Amino acid sequence: MEVLEVTGATLIVPSPFGVHGYVGVGGLSPDGVLKLQELRSIHDALEFHAHLTLKMPAEGTQEERAQNMLQHVCEAVAAMPSLGETLKAAESFRVRCERVGGILEEHEEKNDDKKVLTKRGRDEEMEEELVEFQWGAAKVKILPHGFQSHEVERQVGGAIHEEHKVRADMKNFAVCVRVDVVMQHVLVMTMGNRDMLSKRHKLAFVRSVTLKPNVAFAMLHMANFKEGQSLLDPFAGGGTIPLEAAAIFGSKAGKLAGCDKSGTVVEGAIANAKAAGVEEQVKFTLFNARGLERVYADSEFDAIVTNPPWGLRVGKDADLEKIYKGFLYSAAKVVKPGGKVVFVVQRCEMVLDIVRRCGLYKIVSLTALKTGEQVPTIFVLENLRRDALREALKTQVRTLVPLCHGAQKPSAAA
């Protein structure tokens, strides 16, 4: 894990308090704390202050219940001693909030014959949409918080100002207080970095949908990509993946290449490489990912790491399946045997079926992640180059077929 290698931490707690998307880190030296800023797999380095739990009040309108919960958060944050110490020497502050999901409520259901059900409806007293899941006797409701991130920022900021008499400043702040609301959990933290650590590439060209550099770093790590090795990104887009590889390994990187079927996109990726000062190291080509063997040599690359279309803007499933199938068959020819093919897709079941049917890869791992409002899957495949089972079956059939020649045909009637 990167955090252990870089910071020397002695304690790692994945999903602290059951909150996904966060990692608790402990046992850091002062130098280790500073090195958190060097991590490439994270968005932010945050100092933890407290964990709170939200509980939806039983009575009142949606607005009253939401305000009741927000008031509880404001009072708790303003009274935190450790946060007070942090703000004591600060001339100014601001509050940022990341809000995700809603509040989970569980209760028993007598009818255990029901199958999995996803139902969307509206509670009479809840203006926002609620989601209800049921599995046998267990029923889970996700109730909307009833407030937005900007309301948390404004009200918690007001409570902090009133308690600590520190000036609020949205731009020129000395301390950024993070109050993240994830389902029923509230994490209170202060940011160690001013700007998001994952926004590190200088981009001259930005697409409407761009893979985040920290996800690109994670995918390169999952491919076990090392210095001196060669890399291809056949759905290059803005070039995030090869640019991240160039930033990690510098002059020690091997061949870094990307291609895309859009001329505009390839020009944009080249512009991004120039902006990053690696235009001589990272090369982009105009070409279709379904015919890689026509432009690249056999076994030319140690790994492919890429972000294919997710199908959000591709018309038919048949078109998307054609893209994935063509890519996977072509990738097996240009990646060395035993090399990794790593990609992230939204239609995971469709792709899993294609991978299994083509027989050219060993599935190393499948990892779901949340990015924005989507939950795609990262596939890590090992290139086998050949379908050994299919070839073995063909050999057996070829051996047995000659034994069938001249054999008496069975009679039509028994």
Side-chain angles (χ1 to χ4, degrees), residues 112-153:
D112 57 10
D113 294 326
K114 294 182 180 180
K115 303 294 183 181
V116 178
L117 173 68
T118 300
K119 182 176 68 178
R120 294 186 179 276
R122 291 182 180 273
D123 189 305
E124 292 179 357
E125 299 179 355
M126 304 292 279
E127 293 180 2
E128 294 186 46
E129 190 175 56
L130 65 84
V131 182
E132 189 173 285
F133 302 93
Q134 185 169 311
W135 177 271
K139 178 178 276 189
V140 177
K141 284 185 178 180
I142 303 178
L143 304 175
H145 292 121
F147 52 77
Q148 302 299 323
S149 296
H150 66 87
E151 295 175 274
V152 177
E153 294 171 353

Side-chain angles (χ1 to χ4, degrees), residues 350-365:
M350 173 195 287
V351 176
L352 183 58
D353 183 57
I354 295 171
V355 171
R356 285 171 169 167
R357 279 190 282 118
C358 80
L360 299 175
Y361 299 95
K362 173 186 175 183
I363 300 173
V364 178
S365 67

Side-chain angles (χ1 to χ4, degrees), residues 159-170:
I160 290 175
H161 172 70
E162 184 175 344
E163 177 69 22
H164 300 285
K165 311 305 179 189
V166 183
R167 176 173 56 87
D169 193 323
M170 299 299 101

Side-chain angles (χ1 to χ4, degrees), residues 201-271:
H201 293 167
K202 295 180 180 179
L203 300 177
F205 170 77
V206 180
R207 303 189 71 190
S208 57
V209 179
T210 302
L211 190 73
K212 292 180 173 60
N214 60 325
V215 177
F217 173 86
M219 292 172 68
L220 289 165
H221 182 76
M222 295 167 85
N224 198 28
F225 189 71
K226 301 183 183 305
E227 63 180 45
Q229 292 187 330
S230 54
L231 172 74
L232 173 64
D233 178 359
F235 297 96
T240 300
I241 293 171
L243 292 179
E244 181 68 11
I248 296 168
F249 298 106
S251 60
K252 295 181 179 180
K255 178 177 181 178
L256 303 177
C259 66
D260 202 285
K261 68 175 185 177
S262 167
T264 301
V265 169
V266 170
E267 290 175 3
I270 293 172

Side-chain angles (χ1 to χ4, degrees), residues 1-2 5 41 211-226 229 231 241 244 248-249 302-306 338-345 362-369 376-383:
M1 185 180 288
E2 184 198 20
E5 297 171 358
S41 59
L211 190 73
K212 292 180 173 60
N214 60 325
V215 177
F217 173 86
M219 292 172 68
L220 289 165
H221 182 76
M222 295 167 85
N224 198 28
F225 189 71
K226 301 183 183 305
Q229 292 187 330
L231 172 74
I241 293 171
E244 181 68 11
I248 296 168
F249 298 106
D302 292 290
I304 280 181
V305 181
T306 192
K340 298 295 192 299
V341 176
V342 179
F343 53 90
V344 56
V345 289
K362 173 186 175 183
I363 300 173
V364 178
S365 67
L366 302 175
T367 305
L369 73 153
T377 300
I378 298 177
F379 280 67
V380 179
L381 310 178
E382 180 183 328
N383 186 21

